[in-house]
Amino acid sequence: GAGGAAARGGRASREEVGRVGSLDQLYGEPWADKVERIRRASPHGRRSGWALVPLLSKANDDVRQEVFVMQLLRLLERAFPAPLWLRPYAILSTGPRSGLIEFSPDTQSLHALKRLPRFGSLEEHFRDHYGDASSPRGAAARHNFVSS
């Protein structure tokens, strides 16, 4: 995804997880589980069109440039078919220096990964969580990361 996010991909077995810990420890509660939990708790969860959208609030930053970039990504998405996968996301400028930005659920930014105490390199992260690059699962995870 945008911003260098390392996507969850398929789940690793406990043996595959290795030294860093489970993917749930790394990424938190899976987004689909969170949506279902909140839907059940919400008095409006059964309404048609109900959705939980992952947003972050951005302050002291002009997000209008990011709106332009997303418009450009939508154009490129139509011009360049697979295997390049672009996922434009919603951005709402709420003022000249603030806005709401949709983020991709079940992802972790590279910056956040680097702040983990046991993070060594992106290559180690993929090997620890998805398996060796020669395994089908490891190869798929790497392909998905490079294509996003």
Side-chain angles (χ1 to χ4, degrees), residues 63-129:
V63 300
R64 293 176 293 183
Q65 292 174 347
E66 294 176 40
V67 170
F68 172 73
V69 169
M70 287 304 109
Q71 291 170 341
L72 183 59
L73 280 177
R74 284 186 179 90
L75 179 66
L76 291 173
E77 184 181 38
R78 288 188 293 253
F80 298 102
L84 181 61
W85 184 74
L86 301 173
R87 186 199 177 275
Y89 47 89
I91 301 174
L92 176 63
S93 178
T94 58
R97 303 215 17 97
S98 63
L100 297 172
I101 300 176
E102 178 186 14
F103 64 89
S104 298
D106 294 330
T107 62
Q108 188 70 267
S109 70
L110 185 54
H111 175 74
L113 287 175
K114 287 179 178 179
R115 291 182 18 210
L116 294 172
R118 293 179 163 169
F119 183 82
S121 69
L122 194 54
E123 179 182 359
E124 289 174 12
H125 169 78
F126 273 85
R127 185 181 57 247
D128 291 347
H129 291 285

Side-chain angles (χ1 to χ4, degrees), residues 8-23 26 123-139 141-142:
R8 174 185 293 259
R11 288 233 180 229
S13 69
R14 286 206 182 272
E15 296 77 33
E16 291 174 309
V17 168
R19 64 183 179 80
V20 178
S22 77
L23 290 174
L26 180 63
E123 179 182 359
E124 289 174 12
H125 169 78
F126 273 85
R127 185 181 57 247
D128 291 347
H129 291 285
Y130 305 107
D132 189 75
S134 62
S135 73
R137 194 165 173 278
R142 286 162 179 78

Side-chain angles (χ1 to χ4, degrees), residues 40-60:
R40 284 192 309 265
S42 171
H44 306 288
R46 294 182 183 262
R47 288 188 176 191
S48 174
W50 184 94
L52 186 63
V53 178
L55 296 172
L56 64 97
S57 175
K58 200 162 188 183
N60 298 319

